[in-house]
Amino acid sequence: MALQKTLSLLLLLLLTLLGLGLVQPSYGQSMYLRFQRQHVDSTQRGGTSLYCNKMMQTRGMTRPRCKQFNTFIHADIGTINNICRTPNIRCKNGKMNCHEGVVRVTDCKLTASSPRNCRYQGRASSRRVVIACDGNPLVPVHFDG
């Protein structure tokens, strides 16, 4: 009986802290880590098909099926986090939590696929990107375009 009461109080405390924004749910953290895995590569210049073929496979975007299109941002995560500090703009889904900045990127477009074999064409450029940010502090959680 005392254990049930203690657990109930802990749950109430956690819900209160979540409501106040003092504790972030792991969902936001996992989305931030997923964003980094899928879109951040500060160590390479990219731009080639060889780069895309390697990175898409290494970063797990060829299983269970080939991802059609992906963009890698060639900037450190601090620079990308700073994009979240720019003024809000509307995302493709209508939410107002997107932000834009100009960075160097490699766009990887699927050109051929067969079981266990995804082939991509790479194209490097410096261009405007739009990312959705969430959390406190704001961090990138979705590449919007």
Side-chain angles (χ1 to χ4, degrees):
M1 184 78 141
L3 179 61
Q4 185 178 5
K5 187 174 183 179
T6 301
L7 289 174
S8 296
L9 287 173
L10 285 173
L11 180 60
L12 180 61
L13 176 63
L14 178 62
L15 290 173
T16 301
L17 290 173
L18 281 169
L20 293 173
L22 299 176
V23 175
Q24 289 186 357
S26 62
Y27 172 77
Q29 181 67 18
S30 67
M31 293 299 291
Y32 179 51
L33 294 174
R34 181 175 184 243
F35 176 88
Q36 289 183 65
R37 177 180 58 82
Q38 288 189 345
H39 301 292
V40 179
D41 182 22
S42 63
T43 65
Q44 302 285 324
R45 291 191 49 83
T48 67
S49 296
L50 182 63
Y51 170 84
C52 286
N53 291 331
K54 179 183 173 208
M55 290 299 289
M56 293 297 285
Q57 183 175 14
T58 302
R59 298 286 180 99
M61 291 179 276
T62 59
R63 302 228 196 280
R65 67 181 79 120
C66 304
K67 187 174 180 182
Q68 293 288 317
F69 189 86
N70 191 67
T71 300
F72 290 102
I73 301 172
H74 303 295
D76 63 76
I77 193 62
T79 299
I80 299 167
N81 285 347
N82 282 337
I83 293 173
C84 293
R85 294 185 180 95
T86 64
N88 291 42
I89 61 171
R90 187 174 310 280
C91 302
K92 289 177 183 173
N93 67 4
K95 287 182 156 184
M96 287 298 295
N97 67 321
C98 277
H99 306 264
E100 63 183 342
V102 175
V103 289
R104 181 169 167 70
V105 300
T106 296
D107 292 315
C108 300
K109 181 180 177 184
L110 184 67
T111 58
S113 66
S114 60
R116 301 186 176 270
N117 191 17
C118 307
R119 293 288 162 235
Y120 293 89
Q121 178 182 13
R123 183 176 154 260
S125 64
S126 289
R127 67 174 175 87
R128 172 187 166 269
V129 296
V130 177
I131 57 175
C133 301
D134 201 7
N136 186 13
L138 287 175
V139 294
V141 294
H142 175 72
F143 189 90
D144 205 53

PDB file of all heavy atoms in Angstrom, residues 92-124:
ATOM      1  N   LYS A  92       6.305  22.951 -43.583  1.00  0.00           N
ATOM      2  CA  LYS A  92       5.434  22.355 -44.593  1.00  0.00           C
ATOM      3  C   LYS A  92       4.149  21.810 -43.980  1.00  0.00           C
ATOM      4  O   LYS A  92       3.106  21.801 -44.624  1.00  0.00           O
ATOM      5  CB  LYS A  92       6.168  21.229 -45.325  1.00  0.00           C
ATOM      6  CG  LYS A  92       7.266  21.726 -46.240  1.00  0.00           C
ATOM      7  CD  LYS A  92       8.005  20.558 -46.893  1.00  0.00           C
ATOM      8  CE  LYS A  92       9.147  21.063 -47.743  1.00  0.00           C
ATOM      9  NZ  LYS A  92       9.971  19.952 -48.258  1.00  0.00           N
ATOM     10  N   ASN A  93       4.218  21.370 -42.706  1.00  0.00           N
ATOM     11  CA  ASN A  93       3.026  20.817 -42.053  1.00  0.00           C
ATOM     12  C   ASN A  93       2.150  21.890 -41.410  1.00  0.00           C
ATOM     13  O   ASN A  93       1.155  21.585 -40.760  1.00  0.00           O
ATOM     14  CB  ASN A  93       3.424  19.766 -41.018  1.00  0.00           C
ATOM     15  CG  ASN A  93       4.181  20.342 -39.838  1.00  0.00           C
ATOM     16  OD1 ASN A  93       4.375  21.560 -39.716  1.00  0.00           O
ATOM     17  ND2 ASN A  93       4.650  19.482 -38.956  1.00  0.00           N
ATOM     18  N   GLY A  94       2.519  23.165 -41.588  1.00  0.00           N
ATOM     19  CA  GLY A  94       1.719  24.266 -41.060  1.00  0.00           C
ATOM     20  C   GLY A  94       2.154  24.758 -39.692  1.00  0.00           C
ATOM     21  O   GLY A  94       1.739  25.837 -39.264  1.00  0.00           O
ATOM     22  N   LYS A  95       2.960  23.989 -38.968  1.00  0.00           N
ATOM     23  CA  LYS A  95       3.436  24.432 -37.662  1.00  0.00           C
ATOM     24  C   LYS A  95       4.390  25.613 -37.832  1.00  0.00           C
ATOM     25  O   LYS A  95       4.992  25.789 -38.882  1.00  0.00           O
ATOM     26  CB  LYS A  95       4.145  23.293 -36.929  1.00  0.00           C
ATOM     27  CG  LYS A  95       3.238  22.223 -36.399  1.00  0.00           C
ATOM     28  CD  LYS A  95       4.077  21.195 -35.658  1.00  0.00           C
ATOM     29  CE  LYS A  95       3.285  20.450 -34.635  1.00  0.00           C
ATOM     30  NZ  LYS A  95       4.160  19.536 -33.870  1.00  0.00           N
ATOM     31  N   MET A  96       4.552  26.388 -36.783  1.00  0.00           N
ATOM     32  CA  MET A  96       5.408  27.573 -36.829  1.00  0.00           C
ATOM     33  C   MET A  96       6.723  27.356 -36.065  1.00  0.00           C
ATOM     34  O   MET A  96       7.233  28.265 -35.431  1.00  0.00           O
ATOM     35  CB  MET A  96       4.668  28.778 -36.250  1.00  0.00           C
ATOM     36  CG  MET A  96       3.578  29.318 -37.146  1.00  0.00           C
ATOM     37  SD  MET A  96       4.192  29.922 -38.735  1.00  0.00           S
ATOM     38  CE  MET A  96       5.192  31.315 -38.227  1.00  0.00           C
ATOM     39  N   ASN A  97       7.276  26.146 -36.127  1.00  0.00           N
ATOM     40  CA  ASN A  97       8.515  25.877 -35.396  1.00  0.00           C
ATOM     41  C   ASN A  97       9.703  25.630 -36.333  1.00  0.00           C
ATOM     42  O   ASN A  97      10.679  25.005 -35.958  1.00  0.00           O
ATOM     43  CB  ASN A  97       8.346  24.698 -34.437  1.00  0.00           C
ATOM     44  CG  ASN A  97       8.124  23.378 -35.146  1.00  0.00           C
ATOM     45  OD1 ASN A  97       7.434  23.306 -36.157  1.00  0.00           O
ATOM     46  ND2 ASN A  97       8.691  22.322 -34.598  1.00  0.00           N
ATOM     47  N   CYS A  98       9.641  26.144 -37.555  1.00  0.00           N
ATOM     48  CA  CYS A  98      10.749  25.996 -38.489  1.00  0.00           C
ATOM     49  C   CYS A  98      11.611  27.254 -38.502  1.00  0.00           C
ATOM     50  O   CYS A  98      11.146  28.341 -38.140  1.00  0.00           O
ATOM     51  CB  CYS A  98      10.236  25.677 -39.900  1.00  0.00           C
ATOM     52  SG  CYS A  98       9.890  23.915 -40.123  1.00  0.00           S
ATOM     53  N   HIS A  99      12.840  27.059 -38.925  1.00  0.00           N
ATOM     54  CA  HIS A  99      13.834  28.120 -38.971  1.00  0.00           C
ATOM     55  C   HIS A  99      14.687  27.883 -40.211  1.00  0.00           C
ATOM     56  O   HIS A  99      14.796  26.752 -40.680  1.00  0.00           O
ATOM     57  CB  HIS A  99      14.712  28.090 -37.719  1.00  0.00           C
ATOM     58  CG  HIS A  99      13.911  28.125 -36.455  1.00  0.00           C
ATOM     59  ND1 HIS A  99      13.665  29.285 -35.770  1.00  0.00           N
ATOM     60  CD2 HIS A  99      13.281  27.135 -35.775  1.00  0.00           C
ATOM     61  CE1 HIS A  99      12.915  29.006 -34.709  1.00  0.00           C
ATOM     62  NE2 HIS A  99      12.673  27.712 -34.689  1.00  0.00           N
ATOM     63  N   GLU A 100      15.297  28.954 -40.736  1.00  0.00           N
ATOM     64  CA  GLU A 100      16.094  28.781 -41.951  1.00  0.00           C
ATOM     65  C   GLU A 100      17.480  29.373 -41.802  1.00  0.00           C
ATOM     66  O   GLU A 100      17.705  30.293 -41.024  1.00  0.00           O
ATOM     67  CB  GLU A 100      15.388  29.381 -43.164  1.00  0.00           C
ATOM     68  CG  GLU A 100      15.174  30.868 -43.105  1.00  0.00           C
ATOM     69  CD  GLU A 100      14.416  31.400 -44.307  1.00  0.00           C
ATOM     70  OE1 GLU A 100      14.337  30.711 -45.337  1.00  0.00           O
ATOM     71  OE2 GLU A 100      13.898  32.510 -44.209  1.00  0.00           O
ATOM     72  N   GLY A 101      18.401  28.786 -42.573  1.00  0.00           N
ATOM     73  CA  GLY A 101      19.772  29.258 -42.606  1.00  0.00           C
ATOM     74  C   GLY A 101      20.428  28.768 -43.885  1.00  0.00           C
ATOM     75  O   GLY A 101      19.882  27.913 -44.587  1.00  0.00           O
ATOM     76  N   VAL A 102      21.597  29.295 -44.184  1.00  0.00           N
ATOM     77  CA  VAL A 102      22.341  28.885 -45.377  1.00  0.00           C
ATOM     78  C   VAL A 102      23.562  28.096 -44.914  1.00  0.00           C
ATOM     79  O   VAL A 102      24.340  28.581 -44.082  1.00  0.00           O
ATOM     80  CB  VAL A 102      22.766  30.104 -46.220  1.00  0.00           C
ATOM     81  CG1 VAL A 102      23.632  29.669 -47.393  1.00  0.00           C
ATOM     82  CG2 VAL A 102      21.536  30.857 -46.699  1.00  0.00           C
ATOM     83  N   VAL A 103      23.704  26.884 -45.437  1.00  0.00           N
ATOM     84  CA  VAL A 103      24.810  25.999 -45.090  1.00  0.00           C
ATOM     85  C   VAL A 103      25.244  25.205 -46.318  1.00  0.00           C
ATOM     86  O   VAL A 103      24.538  25.151 -47.323  1.00  0.00           O
ATOM     87  CB  VAL A 103      24.420  25.011 -43.958  1.00  0.00           C
ATOM     88  CG1 VAL A 103      24.271  25.712 -42.625  1.00  0.00           C
ATOM     89  CG2 VAL A 103      23.153  24.257 -44.314  1.00  0.00           C
ATOM     90  N   ARG A 104      26.393  24.572 -46.212  1.00  0.00           N
ATOM     91  CA  ARG A 104      26.873  23.677 -47.266  1.00  0.00           C
ATOM     92  C   ARG A 104      26.209  22.322 -47.056  1.00  0.00           C
ATOM     93  O   ARG A 104      26.170  21.810 -45.944  1.00  0.00           O
ATOM     94  CB  ARG A 104      28.387  23.551 -47.195  1.00  0.00           C
ATOM     95  CG  ARG A 104      28.960  22.660 -48.269  1.00  0.00           C
ATOM     96  CD  ARG A 104      30.482  22.775 -48.346  1.00  0.00           C
ATOM     97  NE  ARG A 104      31.047  21.718 -49.136  1.00  0.00           N
ATOM     98  CZ  ARG A 104      30.935  21.584 -50.455  1.00  0.00           C
ATOM     99  NH1 ARG A 104      30.262  22.481 -51.131  1.00  0.00           N
ATOM    100  NH2 ARG A 104      31.487  20.572 -51.087  1.00  0.00           N
ATOM    101  N   VAL A 105      25.687  21.734 -48.137  1.00  0.00           N
ATOM    102  CA  VAL A 105      24.967  20.470 -48.045  1.00  0.00           C
ATOM    103  C   VAL A 105      25.365  19.535 -49.184  1.00  0.00           C
ATOM    104  O   VAL A 105      25.914  19.964 -50.200  1.00  0.00           O
ATOM    105  CB  VAL A 105      23.431  20.672 -48.097  1.00  0.00           C
ATOM    106  CG1 VAL A 105      22.945  21.547 -46.952  1.00  0.00           C
ATOM    107  CG2 VAL A 105      22.989  21.226 -49.442  1.00  0.00           C
ATOM    108  N   THR A 106      25.049  18.260 -48.992  1.00  0.00           N
ATOM    109  CA  THR A 106      25.056  17.285 -50.073  1.00  0.00           C
ATOM    110  C   THR A 106      23.672  16.679 -50.139  1.00  0.00           C
ATOM    111  O   THR A 106      23.178  16.141 -49.137  1.00  0.00           O
ATOM    112  CB  THR A 106      26.091  16.166 -49.844  1.00  0.00           C
ATOM    113  OG1 THR A 106      27.398  16.729 -49.857  1.00  0.00           O
ATOM    114  CG2 THR A 106      25.998  15.101 -50.925  1.00  0.00           C
ATOM    115  N   ASP A 107      23.029  16.799 -51.282  1.00  0.00           N
ATOM    116  CA  ASP A 107      21.739  16.160 -51.514  1.00  0.00           C
ATOM    117  C   ASP A 107      22.000  14.813 -52.166  1.00  0.00           C
ATOM    118  O   ASP A 107      22.737  14.715 -53.147  1.00  0.00           O
ATOM    119  CB  ASP A 107      20.867  17.027 -52.431  1.00  0.00           C
ATOM    120  CG  ASP A 107      20.450  18.322 -51.757  1.00  0.00           C
ATOM    121  OD1 ASP A 107      20.037  18.272 -50.584  1.00  0.00           O
ATOM    122  OD2 ASP A 107      20.538  19.379 -52.399  1.00  0.00           O
ATOM    123  N   CYS A 108      21.388  13.767 -51.615  1.00  0.00           N
ATOM    124  CA  CYS A 108      21.534  12.408 -52.134  1.00  0.00           C
ATOM    125  C   CYS A 108      20.183  11.942 -52.663  1.00  0.00           C
ATOM    126  O   CYS A 108      19.216  11.846 -51.898  1.00  0.00           O
ATOM    127  CB  CYS A 108      22.012  11.461 -51.039  1.00  0.00           C
ATOM    128  SG  CYS A 108      23.614  11.896 -50.329  1.00  0.00           S
ATOM    129  N   LYS A 109      20.130  11.665 -53.960  1.00  0.00           N
ATOM    130  CA  LYS A 109      18.896  11.251 -54.615  1.00  0.00           C
ATOM    131  C   LYS A 109      19.039   9.810 -55.100  1.00  0.00           C
ATOM    132  O   LYS A 109      20.008   9.475 -55.793  1.00  0.00           O
ATOM    133  CB  LYS A 109      18.600  12.173 -55.798  1.00  0.00           C
ATOM    134  CG  LYS A 109      17.328  11.843 -56.530  1.00  0.00           C
ATOM    135  CD  LYS A 109      17.109  12.804 -57.684  1.00  0.00           C
ATOM    136  CE  LYS A 109      15.856  12.404 -58.450  1.00  0.00           C
ATOM    137  NZ  LYS A 109      15.670  13.241 -59.630  1.00  0.00           N
ATOM    138  N   LEU A 110      18.067   8.982 -54.755  1.00  0.00           N
ATOM    139  CA  LEU A 110      18.077   7.581 -55.166  1.00  0.00           C
ATOM    140  C   LEU A 110      17.950   7.486 -56.686  1.00  0.00           C
ATOM    141  O   LEU A 110      17.062   8.091 -57.282  1.00  0.00           O
ATOM    142  CB  LEU A 110      16.922   6.824 -54.501  1.00  0.00           C
ATOM    143  CG  LEU A 110      16.850   5.320 -54.751  1.00  0.00           C
ATOM    144  CD1 LEU A 110      18.039   4.601 -54.107  1.00  0.00           C
ATOM    145  CD2 LEU A 110      15.536   4.761 -54.213  1.00  0.00           C
ATOM    146  N   THR A 111      18.868   6.748 -57.322  1.00  0.00           N
ATOM    147  CA  THR A 111      18.823   6.575 -58.776  1.00  0.00           C
ATOM    148  C   THR A 111      18.516   5.138 -59.172  1.00  0.00           C
ATOM    149  O   THR A 111      18.003   4.902 -60.262  1.00  0.00           O
ATOM    150  CB  THR A 111      20.156   6.989 -59.431  1.00  0.00           C
ATOM    151  OG1 THR A 111      21.212   6.205 -58.862  1.00  0.00           O
ATOM    152  CG2 THR A 111      20.422   8.467 -59.223  1.00  0.00           C
ATOM    153  N   ALA A 112      18.844   4.178 -58.313  1.00  0.00           N
ATOM    154  CA  ALA A 112      18.584   2.768 -58.617  1.00  0.00           C
ATOM    155  C   ALA A 112      18.520   1.990 -57.320  1.00  0.00           C
ATOM    156  O   ALA A 112      19.236   2.289 -56.364  1.00  0.00           O
ATOM    157  CB  ALA A 112      19.688   2.202 -59.506  1.00  0.00           C
ATOM    158  N   SER A 113      17.650   0.997 -57.292  1.00  0.00           N
ATOM    159  CA  SER A 113      17.589   0.153 -56.108  1.00  0.00           C
ATOM    160  C   SER A 113      17.188  -1.257 -56.497  1.00  0.00           C
ATOM    161  O   SER A 113      16.400  -1.483 -57.416  1.00  0.00           O
ATOM    162  CB  SER A 113      16.606   0.712 -55.082  1.00  0.00           C
ATOM    163  OG  SER A 113      15.288   0.659 -55.571  1.00  0.00           O
ATOM    164  N   SER A 114      17.783  -2.175 -55.801  1.00  0.00           N
ATOM    165  CA  SER A 114      17.432  -3.582 -55.870  1.00  0.00           C
ATOM    166  C   SER A 114      17.661  -4.112 -54.466  1.00  0.00           C
ATOM    167  O   SER A 114      18.256  -3.417 -53.639  1.00  0.00           O
ATOM    168  CB  SER A 114      18.302  -4.304 -56.908  1.00  0.00           C
ATOM    169  OG  SER A 114      19.664  -4.203 -56.550  1.00  0.00           O
ATOM    170  N   PRO A 115      17.210  -5.315 -54.157  1.00  0.00           N
ATOM    171  CA  PRO A 115      17.403  -5.811 -52.794  1.00  0.00           C
ATOM    172  C   PRO A 115      18.871  -5.695 -52.361  1.00  0.00           C
ATOM    173  O   PRO A 115      19.773  -6.118 -53.078  1.00  0.00           O
ATOM    174  CB  PRO A 115      16.957  -7.268 -52.875  1.00  0.00           C
ATOM    175  CG  PRO A 115      15.972  -7.287 -54.007  1.00  0.00           C
ATOM    176  CD  PRO A 115      16.477  -6.268 -54.992  1.00  0.00           C
ATOM    177  N   ARG A 116      19.086  -5.036 -51.221  1.00  0.00           N
ATOM    178  CA  ARG A 116      20.416  -4.849 -50.621  1.00  0.00           C
ATOM    179  C   ARG A 116      21.353  -3.980 -51.455  1.00  0.00           C
ATOM    180  O   ARG A 116      22.566  -4.037 -51.295  1.00  0.00           O
ATOM    181  CB  ARG A 116      21.076  -6.189 -50.334  1.00  0.00           C
ATOM    182  CG  ARG A 116      20.304  -7.074 -49.402  1.00  0.00           C
ATOM    183  CD  ARG A 116      21.124  -8.318 -49.086  1.00  0.00           C
ATOM    184  NE  ARG A 116      20.443  -9.134 -48.119  1.00  0.00           N
ATOM    185  CZ  ARG A 116      20.584  -9.026 -46.797  1.00  0.00           C
ATOM    186  NH1 ARG A 116      21.362  -8.105 -46.294  1.00  0.00           N
ATOM    187  NH2 ARG A 116      19.948  -9.829 -45.984  1.00  0.00           N
ATOM    188  N   ASN A 117      20.830  -3.189 -52.387  1.00  0.00           N
ATOM    189  CA  ASN A 117      21.697  -2.370 -53.225  1.00  0.00           C
ATOM    190  C   ASN A 117      21.004  -1.063 -53.604  1.00  0.00           C
ATOM    191  O   ASN A 117      20.235  -1.020 -54.559  1.00  0.00           O
ATOM    192  CB  ASN A 117      22.111  -3.149 -54.481  1.00  0.00           C
ATOM    193  CG  ASN A 117      23.215  -2.462 -55.236  1.00  0.00           C
ATOM    194  OD1 ASN A 117      23.892  -1.595 -54.713  1.00  0.00           O
ATOM    195  ND2 ASN A 117      23.389  -2.842 -56.486  1.00  0.00           N
ATOM    196  N   CYS A 118      21.300  -0.018 -52.860  1.00  0.00           N
ATOM    197  CA  CYS A 118      20.747   1.302 -53.137  1.00  0.00           C
ATOM    198  C   CYS A 118      21.848   2.146 -53.764  1.00  0.00           C
ATOM    199  O   CYS A 118      22.969   2.173 -53.261  1.00  0.00           O
ATOM    200  CB  CYS A 118      20.277   1.971 -51.846  1.00  0.00           C
ATOM    201  SG  CYS A 118      19.135   0.989 -50.848  1.00  0.00           S
ATOM    202  N   ARG A 119      21.535   2.859 -54.827  1.00  0.00           N
ATOM    203  CA  ARG A 119      22.508   3.716 -55.505  1.00  0.00           C
ATOM    204  C   ARG A 119      21.981   5.142 -55.544  1.00  0.00           C
ATOM    205  O   ARG A 119      20.827   5.372 -55.914  1.00  0.00           O
ATOM    206  CB  ARG A 119      22.788   3.219 -56.933  1.00  0.00           C
ATOM    207  CG  ARG A 119      23.494   1.907 -56.980  1.00  0.00           C
ATOM    208  CD  ARG A 119      24.957   2.103 -56.546  1.00  0.00           C
ATOM    209  NE  ARG A 119      25.547   0.834 -56.177  1.00  0.00           N
ATOM    210  CZ  ARG A 119      26.127   0.584 -55.015  1.00  0.00           C
ATOM    211  NH1 ARG A 119      26.202   1.510 -54.098  1.00  0.00           N
ATOM    212  NH2 ARG A 119      26.652  -0.587 -54.756  1.00  0.00           N
ATOM    213  N   TYR A 120      22.874   6.084 -55.181  1.00  0.00           N
ATOM    214  CA  TYR A 120      22.497   7.485 -55.063  1.00  0.00           C
ATOM    215  C   TYR A 120      23.363   8.376 -55.931  1.00  0.00           C
ATOM    216  O   TYR A 120      24.528   8.072 -56.185  1.00  0.00           O
ATOM    217  CB  TYR A 120      22.623   7.942 -53.598  1.00  0.00           C
ATOM    218  CG  TYR A 120      21.620   7.277 -52.700  1.00  0.00           C
ATOM    219  CD1 TYR A 120      21.918   6.071 -52.085  1.00  0.00           C
ATOM    220  CD2 TYR A 120      20.373   7.842 -52.483  1.00  0.00           C
ATOM    221  CE1 TYR A 120      20.989   5.435 -51.263  1.00  0.00           C
ATOM    222  CE2 TYR A 120      19.444   7.221 -51.664  1.00  0.00           C
ATOM    223  CZ  TYR A 120      19.759   6.026 -51.062  1.00  0.00           C
ATOM    224  OH  TYR A 120      18.828   5.395 -50.256  1.00  0.00           O
ATOM    225  N   GLN A 121      22.770   9.481 -56.354  1.00  0.00           N
ATOM    226  CA  GLN A 121      23.497  10.537 -57.037  1.00  0.00           C
ATOM    227  C   GLN A 121      23.684  11.664 -56.036  1.00  0.00           C
ATOM    228  O   GLN A 121      22.716  12.090 -55.381  1.00  0.00           O
ATOM    229  CB  GLN A 121      22.727  11.040 -58.257  1.00  0.00           C
ATOM    230  CG  GLN A 121      23.418  12.171 -58.980  1.00  0.00           C
ATOM    231  CD  GLN A 121      22.602  12.668 -60.164  1.00  0.00           C
ATOM    232  OE1 GLN A 121      21.433  12.339 -60.315  1.00  0.00           O
ATOM    233  NE2 GLN A 121      23.225  13.479 -60.992  1.00  0.00           N
ATOM    234  N   GLY A 122      24.904  12.158 -55.898  1.00  0.00           N
ATOM    235  CA  GLY A 122      25.194  13.223 -54.954  1.00  0.00           C
ATOM    236  C   GLY A 122      25.377  14.558 -55.640  1.00  0.00           C
ATOM    237  O   GLY A 122      25.873  14.630 -56.763  1.00  0.00           O
ATOM    238  N   ARG A 123      24.949  15.612 -54.949  1.00  0.00           N
ATOM    239  CA  ARG A 123      25.104  16.969 -55.483  1.00  0.00           C
ATOM    240  C   ARG A 123      25.394  17.911 -54.315  1.00  0.00           C
ATOM    241  O   ARG A 123      24.590  18.021 -53.387  1.00  0.00           O
ATOM    242  CB  ARG A 123      23.832  17.396 -56.199  1.00  0.00           C
ATOM    243  CG  ARG A 123      23.942  18.773 -56.845  1.00  0.00           C
ATOM    244  CD  ARG A 123      22.682  19.122 -57.645  1.00  0.00           C
ATOM    245  NE  ARG A 123      22.539  20.549 -57.712  1.00  0.00           N
ATOM    246  CZ  ARG A 123      21.716  21.274 -56.946  1.00  0.00           C
ATOM    247  NH1 ARG A 123      20.938  20.687 -56.089  1.00  0.00           N
ATOM    248  NH2 ARG A 123      21.662  22.570 -57.077  1.00  0.00           N
ATOM    249  N   ALA A 124      26.524  18.587 -54.380  1.00  0.00           N
ATOM    250  CA  ALA A 124      26.912  19.520 -53.318  1.00  0.00           C
ATOM    251  C   ALA A 124      26.513  20.940 -53.677  1.00  0.00           C
ATOM    252  O   ALA A 124      26.518  21.317 -54.847  1.00  0.00           O
ATOM    253  CB  ALA A 124      28.420  19.459 -53.090  1.00  0.00           C
TER     254      ALA A 124
END
